[in-house]
Amino acid sequence: MSIKILRHPADLYRVAAETFVRIATHSVAVQGRFSVGLAGGSTSKSLYPLLANEPGLRSWLPTECMHFYWGDERHVPPEHADSNYRMANEVMLSKLPLAPNQVHRIQGECPDAARAADEYERELCANFALAPGVYPRFDLVLLGIGPDAHTASLFPHTPAPQETARSVVANRVAALGTDRITLTIPAINNAANIVFLVSGADKAVALREILEGPRDPRKLPV
Ligand code: 6PG
């Protein structure tokens, strides 16, 4: 694990964008494809436009070989303001020359969140050509961290962080009064690269507990 501490948010986003491009180009050079799990939230929302708009970064993206997935999704339709798909599409994906089959969104509009999770698990199985029970191997999973040490939609003291059989589950987050759909810990940990983007003083206490405190996946899913 490597930890980069950067003084200004703009530096964080640039280093993250350069890391994204490095992993994408390497993945395509080695295996002809790059599969990334995107994060939601404001930190990643500041990264994505760099990839779509900065010529020195965008020109390096092997867009024709890239496949975009999500680490989690809110239980809302794709046009909803809270949709992680909508955010990434607005600030990045809609600006890249992608075919529809390169964007694999979680169907947050499905009335039953558990069914949306099942559907996404099938989407992963088909696109990663997985045998039953095998986790996908993303080339990169981008993740944020909440002040409560959640990541994706793996919230403290909720059922999802304990899931070890599935790659995708619905997760009831009582504190938010909502359901989410999320990759599970084993599916995320099977990735070739994981990058946590962490910005803001409100994350400092959680980050110190995560890095220096005792391991406690129920309390600290990160
Ligand atoms: C989501 C994200 C979530 C996010 C963290 C950090 O669906 O909201 O997947 O895990 O990454 O809450 O969010 P910020 O970057 O806005 O602090």
Side-chain angles (χ1 to χ4, degrees):
M1 174 172 74
S2 71
I3 299 175
K4 291 187 174 72
I5 300 176
L6 299 122
R7 181 167 299 281
H8 300 293
D11 300 335
L12 169 73
Y13 307 135
R14 172 154 301 283
V15 168
E18 290 166 355
T19 303
F20 184 106
V21 170
R22 175 171 52 76
I23 294 170
T25 49
H26 175 77
S27 302
V28 170
V30 168
Q31 61 187 21
R33 173 185 277 237
F34 170 67
S35 298
V36 55
L38 298 178
S42 58
T43 311
S44 49
K45 187 172 182 178
S46 297
L47 159 64
Y48 299 151
L50 276 180
L51 294 167
N53 304 326
E54 287 261 313
L57 293 163
R58 176 190 169 118
S59 60
W60 286 95
L61 288 178
T63 46
E64 68 284 356
C65 301
M66 295 173 73
H67 284 261
F68 294 87
Y69 300 82
W70 276 261
D72 71 320
E73 186 57 278
R74 286 78 179 280
H75 193 203
V76 294
E79 65 278 4
H80 192 283
D82 291 348
S83 166
N84 287 339
Y85 161 78
R86 173 177 165 176
M87 181 270 280
N89 188 50
E90 278 181 351
V91 302
M92 177 172 63
L93 301 179
S94 58
K95 302 174 188 314
L96 298 175
L98 300 171
N101 69 353
Q102 290 181 261
V103 179
H104 310 268
R105 69 176 184 86
I106 297 170
Q107 295 176 10
E109 69 275 23
C110 181
D112 178 359
R115 206 176 111 230
D118 293 347
E119 287 296 321
Y120 206 57
E121 181 128 359
R122 272 192 282 278
E123 173 96 358
L124 295 178
C125 284
N127 284 278
F128 284 87
L130 301 175
V134 176
Y135 303 121
R137 184 166 172 79
F138 288 95
D139 299 301
L140 171 62
V141 175
L142 285 175
L143 294 167
I145 295 180
D148 61 355
H150 83 264
T151 191
S153 285
L154 299 161
F155 284 81
H157 309 299
T158 63
Q162 276 64 52
E163 174 64 43
T164 55
R166 301 281 304 271
S167 293
V168 188
V169 291
N171 193 29
R172 181 70 191 169
V173 187
L176 300 177
T178 185
D179 290 315
R180 296 280 189 95
I181 300 103
T182 186
L183 290 184
T184 59
I185 287 179
I188 292 171
N189 281 344
N190 199 42
N193 297 277
I194 298 171
V195 172
F196 286 96
L197 297 181
V198 190
S199 177
D202 61 335
K203 317 292 179 70
V205 172
L207 196 55
R208 186 176 58 228
E209 274 198 276
I210 291 158
L211 294 176
E212 299 172 3
R215 177 180 163 75
D216 182 351
R218 287 185 63 80
K219 181 183 171 204
L220 304 168
V222 175

